[in-house]
Amino acid sequence: MSVETDDGHGHGDGHHLPAVEDWPKGFGEASWWPFIAALGGSGFYIGVALFVLGRGSEPIINPMIGPVIFMLSTVAFLTGLYGWLYHAFIVDFWGGETADYGFPLKLTMLLFLATEVATFGGGFVYYFFIRAGAWENLPAIVAEGDVLSTLVIANTLVLIASSITMHYAHHALLSGNRTRFVRLLGATLGLGIVFLGGQVYEYYEFIVHYGFGLTDGAYGSAFYGLTGLHGLHVALGAVLLSIVFVRALYGHYSAERHVSISTVSMYWHFVDVVWVFLVAVLYGGAIL
C-alpha cells in the first residue's frame, strides 16, 4: 500500500475508517458529520438550561435530566467532530487533496466562521448589557484594576505572533520553500500551546490567589464564559495545526495543493482576532 500526498504522488487504498464511509448511503461521503456535531453543540445549551430548571427549592423538572442530556450531547458532539475533522483534514493523508474541492471546503470554513461570529457576538452582547446596567458588586480583582495583567498582555503578544508565523508559513509554501514552511508551521503550533498554557495559569492565579471564580457575579460568568469559549476554540485550532504539521513532516502540501493549510489558516486568524477584541472589551473595558 502506498501513500498519496497532497503533491499527487502515490495512491492510497485499503482505508475504510467510519469517518470516510458514505454514510448515510446516498447522501455523499461523510456528509452528515457536521450536522451531528451541530446537534451535539446545541444540546450543550439545552442541557445547561434544563440543569438550571432542575435546581432551586422548587425544581420544575428532574435535576438529573439536564446533566444526562449534556453528557449525551458531548458524545454526539465529539463523534461528529471526529468525523468532520477526519474527513476534512486527515483522510487526505492517504487519498491526497484533489484540485477541484478547494473552493467548497474554503466556503464551508467561511460559513462555519460566520456561525462563530454569531456565537461570540451573543456572548459580547450579554457582557455589554452587564456593563451598561448591572455593573456593581464587582470582584476585587476587577475593582482594583488587576484583571488586565502582564500575563494577559504577554499571552496576547504570543497569539499575535502565532498569527504572523501562520501567515508566513502559508506564504513560504506558496513560494515553494518547504523547509521554511514546516518550521514556521511548527512555530505556530508551539506558540498556540504556549498561549493555552498561559490561559490555564491565568485561571489558576485568578481562582487560587485572587478568589475570582465563575460564580462571582455577572462579570465572573461573562469573563469565564467568553474566555473559556475562546480557549476551546484555540485548543481546536491546536488540534488542526497538529494534524497539518504532521502531514507537512510527511512531505504533504505544495503550492498547488494546500487547501487544508488555507482553511486552518483562516480559522487560526479568526481566533486571534477574537482574542484581541476580547482583551480590549473584557479586560480593558473592565477597568475603565
Side-chain angles (χ1 to χ4, degrees):
M1 177 184 63
S2 61
V3 176
E4 180 176 346
T5 72
D6 288 67
D7 299 299
H9 302 296
H11 178 71
D13 52 33
H15 295 278
H16 299 289
L17 295 181
V20 297
E21 295 290 342
D22 181 13
W23 182 87
K25 296 296 182 181
F27 283 87
E29 184 179 279
S31 59
W32 278 30
W33 291 113
F35 179 70
I36 295 173
L39 284 179
S42 63
F44 291 153
Y45 300 97
I46 297 174
V48 170
L50 294 177
F51 174 73
V52 173
L53 293 176
R55 293 174 60 86
S57 57
E58 297 182 0
I60 299 176
I61 61 174
N62 189 309
M64 290 302 299
I65 294 179
V68 169
I69 291 181
F70 189 90
M71 288 186 291
L72 292 176
S73 299
T74 301
V75 173
F77 177 77
L78 293 177
T79 301
L81 188 63
Y82 159 77
W84 190 2
L85 295 182
Y86 194 97
H87 173 64
F89 298 103
I90 303 180
V91 63
D92 292 325
F93 186 93
W94 294 295
E97 291 183 355
T98 60
D100 59 351
Y101 95 162
F103 176 74
L105 187 56
K106 291 178 182 179
L107 179 60
T108 301
M109 178 59 76
L110 286 175
L111 293 175
F112 172 71
L113 294 182
T115 65
E116 292 298 284
V117 170
T119 301
F120 279 102
F124 280 115
V125 168
Y126 167 67
Y127 172 77
F128 290 143
F129 271 107
I130 295 172
R131 191 69 172 86
W135 203 244
E136 55 187 15
N137 300 324
L138 293 175
I141 189 174
V142 180
E144 296 171 4
D146 294 332
V147 68
L148 184 59
S149 63
T150 304
L151 175 61
V152 175
I153 296 174
N155 228 20
T156 301
L157 294 176
V158 166
L159 200 59
I160 293 175
S162 73
S163 191
I164 295 173
T165 55
M166 186 70 218
H167 170 76
Y168 282 104
H170 194 191
H171 184 270
L173 177 63
L174 297 178
S175 301
N177 192 335
R178 291 195 55 83
T179 300
R180 191 164 184 259
F181 159 64
V182 173
R183 289 176 179 175
L184 288 174
L185 190 62
T188 303
L189 174 60
L191 290 170
I193 294 174
V194 170
F195 173 85
L196 288 173
Q199 190 167 20
V200 170
Y201 181 71
E202 178 192 43
Y203 279 8
Y204 172 80
E205 286 287 311
F206 283 174
I207 296 173
V208 176
H209 292 167
Y210 289 92
F212 170 48
L214 176 64
T215 58
D216 286 337
Y219 179 81
S221 63
F223 176 85
Y224 283 102
L226 283 168
T227 57
L229 179 64
H230 180 268
L232 288 175
H233 281 74
V234 175
L236 175 59
V239 171
L240 298 179
L241 285 171
S242 299
I243 293 171
V244 296
F245 179 63
V246 171
R247 292 185 60 189
L249 292 177
Y250 273 84
H252 292 197
Y253 307 118
S254 67
E256 294 76 27
R257 298 177 182 271
H258 56 90
V259 177
S260 298
I261 297 297
S262 298
T263 51
V264 171
S265 178
M266 291 162 59
Y267 179 87
W268 195 251
H269 292 319
F270 169 78
V271 296
D272 287 3
V273 171
V274 170
W275 177 254
V276 172
F277 186 70
L278 193 153
V279 169
V281 173
L282 196 59
Y283 289 84
I287 62 178
L288 296 178

